[in-house]
Amino acid sequence: MTADELRTKILDTASYLRARGVKDPEVGMVLGTGLNDYSESIDDALIIPYSEIPNFHTGKVDSHKGEMVFGRRHGKNVVIMAGRYHYYESMDIREAVFPTRVLVELGIKRFIVTNAAGCVNENWHPGQLMIIRDHINLSGMNPLMGPNLDEYGPRFPDMTYTYNKELREKLFDKARKAGVNVVEGVYTMMSGPTFETPAEIRFVRTIGGDAVGMSTVPEVIIANHAGLEIIGISFLSNMAAGVLDQPLSNEEVTEASKHVYNDFQKVVDLAVEL
Ligand code: HPA
């Protein structure tokens, strides 16, 4: 696909969504595995299933809703992706980040990205929320490979200040004051769909990773390219492979999300309000 073809698709999809009533969103959000219920807290919600949105691909994991929700929260216009596409689904990273490209085109200023992740840091435990300070991309790909869309950002974007420092420090303080035991750390992306091996987790820990997952980094790269304010929140759903002598499963991840949901909602609300 050429840059022009991709740009045309983005513009077509954005026009469709504007015609459906998605107007002037300020905050864009992606909800991760087990965390999709947050979209139910939106006022005056306009719900658009991905299957109705042109150029969206519709593959989804069961624990994801697969719909866009637009409405108000804490006085702001918020557009939520309840369910995301993963690189491992199609192996086409441009498809996986297409919804984020559309959020950029719709004009969001702040991008709040969430995920379930394995806990690599042995001082922490499942059920905690981690505000993302930085990331390591071990997926082997970068969603900006291919022709650059100069309308959105430069060919060689800086990644030094990707996760907005001021916002994450404020969020950390407010979350702690609200009684949520948040931590701050480095998210590491692996391609999936296998969970990692114990040796891979030891490697991730050695290079400075605190959490590991199969998403988020591609969307963040797109949002950073376009200069958005980015806040990342990982819900630590399980100890990463090999930390405990037991296997990992997707059921464990979705089950754990139910217990942390109240804290998650509080922290995401704070991130919208900031
Ligand atoms: N590894 C990768 N992705 C994940 C994990 C994990 O341990 N937990 C939730 N998503």
Side-chain angles (χ1 to χ4, degrees):
M1 203 184 336
T2 65
D4 281 349
E5 283 162 352
L6 178 56
R7 171 103 168 117
T8 304
K9 274 181 146 189
I10 296 166
L11 293 177
D12 287 351
T13 305
S15 314
Y16 170 86
L17 291 168
R18 285 196 192 98
R20 289 282 305 256
V22 181
K23 295 268 163 57
D24 305 321
E26 299 159 88
V27 178
M29 195 183 294
V30 181
L31 296 175
T33 307
L35 305 170
N36 284 206
D37 287 354
Y38 182 81
S39 66
E40 285 161 24
S41 60
I42 294 301
D43 301 323
D44 307 324
L46 166 69
I47 299 173
I48 309 177
Y50 292 166
S51 57
E52 294 175 12
I53 304 178
N55 302 317
F56 269 38
H57 103 147
T58 49
K60 70 182 177 72
V61 177
D62 288 346
S63 44
H64 291 205
K65 287 190 185 200
E67 59 195 26
M68 176 180 274
V69 180
F70 173 70
R72 310 265 306 159
R73 185 77 182 159
H74 296 298
K76 291 190 179 162
N77 289 342
V78 179
V79 59
I80 296 184
M81 308 288 312
R84 59 151 59 86
Y85 303 136
H86 293 86
Y87 178 44
Y88 61 72
E89 289 174 75
S90 65
M91 291 185 300
D92 182 342
I93 192 57
R94 278 178 306 192
E95 260 188 7
V97 298
F98 187 77
T100 310
R101 292 233 182 242
V102 171
L103 294 185
V104 167
E105 176 59 37
L106 286 169
I108 61 166
K109 299 282 174 288
R110 180 173 300 169
F111 185 57
I112 301 173
V113 61
T114 71
N115 59 56
C119 181
V120 175
N121 187 319
E122 288 174 305
N123 297 318
W124 303 343
H125 56 81
Q128 282 188 296
L129 295 171
M130 183 186 89
I131 297 171
I132 303 178
R133 179 173 69 240
D134 201 350
H135 75 224
I136 301 172
N137 181 4
L138 294 185
S139 70
M141 59 72 200
N142 189 303
L144 293 175
M145 283 177 167
N148 187 51
L149 271 63
D150 300 327
E151 297 85 351
Y152 299 112
R155 171 77 290 189
F156 300 106
D158 177 59
M159 295 286 290
T160 312
Y161 306 108
T162 302
Y163 298 86
N164 188 288
K165 185 164 188 287
E166 197 187 320
L167 289 180
R168 67 183 153 75
E169 286 177 354
K170 272 195 199 156
L171 181 60
F172 188 90
D173 285 348
K174 286 187 181 233
R176 285 282 171 123
K177 285 198 182 105
V180 183
N181 182 10
V182 285
V183 290
E184 191 187 81
V186 175
Y187 177 88
T188 309
M189 181 189 175
M190 309 288 261
S191 71
T194 56
F195 288 109
E196 300 70 35
T197 64
E200 286 164 350
I201 293 303
R202 286 195 299 277
F203 170 68
V204 168
R205 190 178 299 118
T206 305
I207 62 172
D210 295 300
V212 66
M214 307 174 193
S215 68
T216 300
V217 165
E219 295 121 319
V220 163
I221 290 174
I222 295 296
N224 181 63
H225 179 241
L228 302 187
E229 289 175 356
I230 299 169
I231 301 176
I233 302 166
S234 290
F235 138 58
L236 305 176
S237 56
N238 55 283
M239 287 315 283
V243 178
L244 307 174
D245 189 10
Q246 62 184 51
L248 270 51
S249 72
N250 193 44
E251 289 69 45
E252 181 189 4
V253 172
T254 40
E255 184 56 34
S257 67
K258 293 180 190 146
H259 301 294
V260 77
Y261 188 72
N262 283 345
D263 281 353
F264 177 76
Q265 185 170 27
K266 270 190 211 167
V267 174
V268 175
D269 274 343
L270 289 170
V272 171
E273 267 180 299
L274 287 175

